[in-house]
Amino acid sequence: MTIKYIGSKRLLLPHIEGLVESLGTIKSSADLFTGTTRVARMLKRRGQFVHANDILAHGEVLGRAAIATDARDVNPATLEELLKDLDATPPEPGYFTQTFCRDARYVHPDNGARIDAIRARIESELTDEPLRCLALSSLLIAADRVDSTTGVQMAYLKSWAPRALKTLELKMPELIEGPGSVTRMDAAQCARSIGPVDLAYVDPPYNQHSYLGNYHVWETLLRGDQPESYGVANKRIDCKTRKSPWNSTRFIRPAFEELVDSIDARWMIVSFNDEGALTTGEITAILETRGSVRRVDIEHPRYVGARIGIHNPSGEKVGTIGRTRNIECLFLVESRG
Ligand SMILES: C[S@@+](CC[C@H](N)C(=O)[O-])C[C@H]1O[C@@H](n2cnc3c(N)ncnc32)[C@H](O)[C@@H]1O
């Protein structure tokens, strides 16, 4: 169970796991752009020590819960009791409800008032880890299940999505046995600071769409910082200034070169999509500075809009249908050391 996420490696996971399997014994790994932590969780379930990193707060919170928490340190009955108690918190509308449920309409105000009240209790009552991050992770996943968007927070639906009318419900987050760690920082900085690992997984953003802009509501919910917001989407004001080089056609190449240079790992698995700002040839050339490169291409049906075509209000097909399949590339690099 996790959040809806652009670029989540849900469909690619078996292919990534197959590659990992082929490498033999891997004891430690780093997922440097962890997002939903899907890949990091797969690695941890395989018994590795995993470090998860993302620049955004949701990656850190989901990572603290699923990766940095050792399931053996949590009493499931205590956690279940805590979530039940939090779930019963009386609604109390606050900043979240006003900003994201009334001024904008990402979540129904009835659920918004519950989110505000539960978030406030987590802040004041849960100062210790891992219970704090487990509760936050559960709240994030619960909020995502009742949102009213098409999946990103650039806009919200005109009328409430059916799921937005359901009642927010805190559920047990996934717990995995074993050690792990988490950071919230730039991936290259993280790679330099964690030291050597057997395997680094690299899944950066590959086009101009900013993850902060796409998931700004979750960033604000988890930071709890109540920032000034702007525009119809009511984005946090720092969406204007917190820019990632990975979203820039000009800066993505130096960012990728710096990252590849910073990683200290025998193996690297790099995900990229054939519609990204770097061509597969450019990626291969950069990776070859570190060792031998093997590429695996996986074809996927494209997002539903491209498959069903563009229709006018009377339901007739208009315009040209875009590509209906895209190719996800996995690059396996064995470092020369
Ligand atoms: C393609 S998504 C990763 C998806 C992830 N593998 C999954 O399965 O959920 C790219 C991620 O990179 C993060 N990101 C963007 N710029 C970053 C940076 N400079 N350092 C670390 N993470 C960054 C985004 O927040 C986003 O979660």
Side-chain angles (χ1 to χ4, degrees):
M1 217 187 349
T2 187
I3 56 171
K4 299 182 285 301
Y5 208 57
I6 293 235
S8 151
K9 293 296 164 284
R10 188 171 61 87
L11 297 171
L12 226 55
L13 203 61
H15 300 279
I16 300 171
E17 183 155 20
L19 269 186
V20 175
E21 183 91 46
S22 73
L23 304 180
T25 307
I26 299 284
K27 291 193 178 140
S28 59
S29 56
D31 180 5
L32 296 169
F33 299 83
T34 201
T36 60
T37 71
R38 237 179 239 286
V39 175
R41 278 181 283 147
M42 175 272 286
L43 296 170
K44 192 178 173 196
R45 277 189 227 105
R46 295 179 61 84
Q48 303 172 18
F49 178 95
V50 179
H51 182 85
N53 175 72
D54 200 280
I55 203 135
L56 295 184
H58 60 257
E60 184 191 14
V61 165
L62 295 170
R64 267 191 203 293
I67 307 301
T69 302
D70 187 331
R72 292 168 296 197
D73 296 336
V74 180
N75 178 340
T78 310
L79 179 59
E80 206 161 331
E81 202 49 45
L82 170 72
L83 295 178
K84 233 163 108 188
D85 184 52
L86 286 172
D87 224 6
T89 310
E92 182 65 57
Y95 174 92
F96 188 94
T97 312
Q98 188 57 46
T99 314
F100 299 127
C101 310
R102 292 192 181 127
D103 299 342
R105 290 157 52 92
Y106 293 102
V107 173
H108 192 279
D110 290 351
N111 282 325
R114 297 195 50 226
I115 291 171
D116 265 321
I118 295 169
R119 181 69 186 88
R121 276 191 65 196
I122 294 174
E123 199 58 33
S124 62
E125 295 173 29
L126 295 176
T127 43
D128 291 341
E129 296 294 11
L131 286 184
R132 176 186 155 83
C133 69
L134 291 169
L136 271 180
S137 168
S138 176
L139 178 61
L140 169 65
I141 293 168
D144 182 67
R145 287 165 70 93
V146 295
D147 78 336
S148 192
T149 71
T150 56
V152 289
Q153 298 165 347
M154 305 293 281
Y156 40 89
L157 300 177
K158 247 192 186 145
S159 316
W160 293 114
R163 69 169 174 272
L165 303 174
K166 297 196 170 144
T167 304
L168 175 108
E169 191 187 345
L170 299 184
K171 297 210 168 131
M172 286 282 276
E174 181 183 6
L175 294 168
I176 307 170
E177 282 191 10
S181 51
V182 68
T183 43
R184 167 159 46 104
M185 56 169 82
D186 171 67
Q189 201 191 339
C190 171
R192 286 190 293 270
S193 69
I194 56 173
V197 285
D198 295 334
L199 167 70
Y201 177 62
V202 174
D203 183 21
Y206 57 80
N207 63 23
Q208 75 281 15
H209 299 297
S210 146
Y211 275 85
L212 176 60
N214 276 339
Y215 300 102
H216 64 96
V217 178
W218 301 155
E219 184 75 1
T220 299
L221 171 65
L222 298 174
R223 284 179 176 248
D225 54 357
Q226 309 193 353
E228 186 189 328
S229 56
Y230 68 96
V232 184
N234 245 357
K235 288 195 207 165
R236 17 182 326 121
I237 194 80
D238 61 5
C239 287
K240 291 186 178 181
T241 48
R242 279 169 66 192
K243 299 285 180 196
S244 173
W246 297 95
N247 300 128
S248 145
T249 45
R250 188 157 153 232
F251 295 117
I252 190 167
R253 190 189 167 96
F256 191 54
E257 286 169 338
E258 186 199 345
L259 174 69
V260 168
D261 200 45
S262 307
I263 291 173
D264 185 354
R266 171 162 181 212
W267 301 100
M268 264 184 248
I269 295 178
V270 180
S271 283
F272 239 92
N273 171 299
D274 70 332
E275 294 177 334
L278 291 173
T279 65
T280 51
E282 285 174 303
I283 295 164
T284 306
I286 295 169
L287 293 174
E288 278 176 343
T289 62
R290 293 299 307 274
S292 62
V293 180
R294 181 156 80 83
R295 193 177 105 204
V296 181
D297 291 348
I298 298 132
E299 242 188 69
H300 270 312
R302 215 154 165 256
Y303 66 92
V304 70
R307 274 185 282 133
I308 60 178
I310 306 157
H311 295 79
N312 69 15
S314 4
E316 295 151 352
K317 270 195 182 173
V318 290
T320 46
I321 301 175
R323 294 173 59 190
T324 54
R325 304 189 77 74
N326 68 352
I327 296 174
E328 298 280 348
C329 308
L330 291 175
F331 299 83
L332 174 65
V333 185
E334 180 169 13
S335 169
R336 270 187 295 273

